[in-house]
Amino acid sequence: MNHVLRGLARNTALPAELVDRLISVADEDVAASLAGRADLSRAQAVGLSARVARSAVQLVREGRLTALDIDPSARPDAALALLDEGSGKPEWARRFTSDPVVERREKLAACPGLPSDVVKLLAGDADVRVVAELALWAPPEVAAGLAGHPHAEVRRALAHNEGTPPAVLAALVTGEGLPPARRCLVCDREETPFVHDRRCGRLDCDLPPGASCDGSHESTVFDMRLAALHNPATPIEVVTGFAGHPSMLLRWTLAARPGLPPEVSRRLAEDPVPGVRADLAGNPAIDDSVMRTLAGDPDDSVRRSLAHNPNVSLDVLIALSRTTRIGSTLLARIASASPAEVDELAASPVPAARMLLALRRDLPAGIRDALAADPDAKVVKAIAPHSGLSDAQLRDMTRRHGTRIAAGVAANPDATPALLDSLARHHPPVRRALRTIARHPHAPAAALLVCLSDDKAREVAAAHPALPEHVLVALLAGPDPQAAEAAATNPSLPSAVMWDLVPLP
């Protein structure tokens, strides 16, 4: 892999003539970078696909190639990608229904808007993998027609499909109104009863670990029910009975379902598995009484999940912040807090609650400034990236709390070059701050040179346009391939250097 050429192919300042030269010498790695360029012309895209055949699919996905540019015989994968994008020719779809390569027929079955005659042929394909792929993406009318398919794998795929009609999903779960499935992937290949060894060492075996069939296709039926529980189109009244099911996986999946009835939520709140209770705690459908029950859960993951619930009461959230490590992510409930609730949080005696508020980036100036002067370091760390803070405030924060908040100050969009330079030169070095400084648009060259000394900040700093030319050239020839690649993407790289990097065809 030529890291420098791959990076250069992503350089936004690359002249069009040099893009042409890169195309003429591109390998697969360089082609992948070139295919993502926003300024790639249609002629260049055609040339790139001719140079590197595998780039054609990416160029199709990027919208650079059309049906006029693709020969389905020479570029079948690109033709299938166009069909998947809804831009292929109908005759291509008909052609691929008889393709001897099963994987191509599978890709075709996943394409939207196929002609009805193509859908009919795919539904009758001799390979169940093709039919199952069709079932996974089929529109409602096609999905309904496949519900009685004799192979359980097709029914399992239908249970995943959110376009499957609710009545069909209900029938898949209960089995009512459908003839029994006659085959599954297990009994297609093995004499039943059979249970697949989870440590199977056979190189020719692709059955899932633990797959089993005693004639009832039990492992596929289980997967089908699990998929239906995940599917939001499955009627809620059909799945609530799984709240007491012996399978932890089914109960766990049910706990995250929208629209859970209160009695089901209350039952799941007493589940012995913490993961079930944690997913329930994050479910916006649970009512306040269940939330208050879960707020006292002994498991930290349950309480943390409840804190992320967008409907949790503010008093419950404040209480949770006292006992639970919630993290530094802006919570949905905090983001939607009313002005009165913002005032309440800002005045809270609980530092963790003030910290949660400080993660917002749209606070009134008075509250922002009060939090910037907070005595608690975690509050100041959270508010430090908030726009509107003055240089004096940012320096005061750093003086009071030092390395604990340096990375937050470095992330402030209003941080001055002088402040960033000061943070970069802090002793001992604050590694997280260096990585933030390396991507800051105000970072001066002197600070970026310091960032180059950090293994993780070096690659980011190498792409910064403020980096001096002689440093960029040195990085291109340096021992760190990732830094060299990043330097090659730098738009400040002189044009003459760019030309010297690309060999003649």
Side-chain angles (χ1 to χ4, degrees):
M1 179 189 299
N2 190 318
H3 288 271
V4 171
L5 290 187
R6 190 171 75 163
L8 194 62
R10 300 199 307 274
N11 193 311
T12 56
L14 200 66
E17 298 84 355
L18 198 46
V19 173
D20 290 335
R21 187 193 283 191
L22 263 179
I23 289 172
S24 68
V25 299
D27 59 13
E28 288 188 4
D29 294 310
V30 173
S33 293
L34 286 168
R37 292 186 63 88
D39 61 351
L40 200 70
S41 69
R42 180 186 173 193
Q44 288 172 327
V46 171
L48 183 59
S49 67
R51 166 73 185 181
V52 180
R54 289 192 179 184
S55 68
V57 172
Q58 184 182 352
L59 289 163
V60 166
R61 300 296 187 191
E62 297 282 353
R64 303 297 175 191
L65 295 178
T66 70
L68 297 175
D69 306 313
I70 297 297
D71 176 358
S73 300
R75 299 280 189 273
D77 289 344
L80 285 164
L82 278 167
L83 286 168
D84 190 45
E85 295 288 331
S87 304
K89 297 180 180 180
E91 57 265 31
W92 292 356
R94 296 184 179 95
R95 167 198 176 95
F96 282 117
T97 58
S98 57
D99 195 293
V101 180
V102 174
E103 289 76 15
R104 290 178 187 160
R105 304 202 306 276
E106 278 188 89
K107 288 181 180 179
L108 176 65
C111 295
L114 293 172
S116 57
D117 59 318
V118 171
V119 172
K120 185 176 180 179
L121 288 169
L122 292 171
D125 197 282
D127 196 302
V128 71
R129 292 173 293 178
V130 177
V131 188
E133 191 67 24
L134 178 68
L136 192 60
W137 306 102
E141 63 279 7
V142 176
L146 290 171
H149 196 280
H151 205 287
E153 187 66 13
V154 175
R155 302 186 187 196
R156 184 197 63 77
L158 285 173
H160 279 281
N161 186 346
E162 294 184 15
T164 301
V168 173
L169 289 166
L172 290 171
V173 172
T174 63
E176 296 176 6
L178 293 178
R182 296 199 295 270
R183 306 293 298 173
C184 71
L185 292 180
V186 179
C187 59
D188 277 348
R189 307 173 193 189
E190 305 288 346
E191 290 291 331
T192 58
F194 177 82
V195 178
H196 188 219
D197 188 346
R198 293 185 179 276
R199 294 176 293 181
C200 175
R202 288 165 47 190
L203 298 178
D204 62 341
C205 180
D206 59 0
L207 285 175
S212 62
C213 181
D214 60 2
S216 64
H217 324 300
E218 63 270 18
S219 65
T220 308
V221 170
F222 176 87
D223 288 344
M224 179 181 67
R225 288 175 173 166
L226 186 63
L229 279 168
H230 275 290
N231 195 327
T234 304
I236 191 66
E237 62 272 12
V238 174
V239 299
T240 52
F242 289 97
H245 198 278
S247 167
M248 173 192 70
L249 282 176
L250 293 178
R251 301 195 313 274
W252 203 326
T253 304
L254 178 63
R257 283 278 311 200
L260 282 181
E263 62 275 12
V264 176
S265 298
R266 287 192 290 270
R267 182 170 186 179
L268 291 171
E270 298 174 353
D271 197 280
V273 179
V276 174
R277 304 196 305 275
D279 273 21
L280 178 70
N283 191 330
I286 62 177
D287 60 27
D288 188 66
S289 65
V290 173
M291 288 188 189
R292 292 182 184 277
T293 297
L294 293 170
D297 197 283
D299 193 277
D300 191 65
S301 67
V302 176
R303 301 194 306 276
R304 185 183 304 114
S305 182
L306 180 61
H308 285 265
N309 192 309
N311 295 332
V312 65
S313 300
L314 193 62
D315 66 309
V316 172
L317 181 55
I318 292 173
L320 287 169
S321 71
R322 292 178 183 269
T323 62
T324 309
R325 295 177 64 87
I326 296 173
S328 57
T329 301
L330 176 62
L331 301 178
R333 181 63 180 86
I334 298 294
S336 65
S338 67
E341 290 172 330
V342 168
D343 290 339
E344 180 184 348
L345 286 163
S348 173
V350 183
R354 302 197 302 274
M355 183 272 288
L356 293 175
L357 176 65
L359 292 166
R360 279 182 59 155
R361 297 291 172 257
D362 59 349
L363 295 173
I367 290 177
R368 176 202 64 205
D369 293 344
L371 293 172
D374 198 281
D376 193 284
K378 62 178 171 286
V379 178
V380 178
K381 179 181 178 181
I383 199 67
H386 200 298
S387 62
L389 292 168
S390 68
D391 184 69
Q393 286 174 304
L394 293 172
R395 288 181 182 276
D396 180 62
M397 291 177 182
T398 307
R399 178 185 58 79
R400 288 186 292 120
H401 300 289
T403 59
R404 289 176 292 179
I405 66 149
V409 172
N412 191 289
D414 301 318
T416 63
L419 176 57
L420 293 170
D421 187 49
S422 174
L423 290 169
R425 297 177 186 281
H426 189 280
H427 186 77
V430 185
R431 300 296 180 188
R432 288 188 62 193
L434 289 177
R435 297 159 202 165
T436 305
I437 293 166
R439 65 174 58 90
H440 200 293
H442 297 167
L448 293 170
L449 292 176
V450 178
C451 294
L452 291 175
S453 64
D454 181 80
D455 289 342
K456 293 186 178 179
R458 183 183 302 117
E459 183 179 348
V460 182
H464 200 291
L467 207 60
E469 175 183 323
H470 72 278
V471 177
L472 282 174
V473 173
L475 287 169
L476 290 171
D480 186 334
Q482 281 71 39
E485 183 171 334
T489 70
N490 198 312
S492 294
L493 197 65
S495 178
V497 175
M498 294 182 185
W499 281 98
D500 287 342
L501 292 172
V502 184
L504 289 169

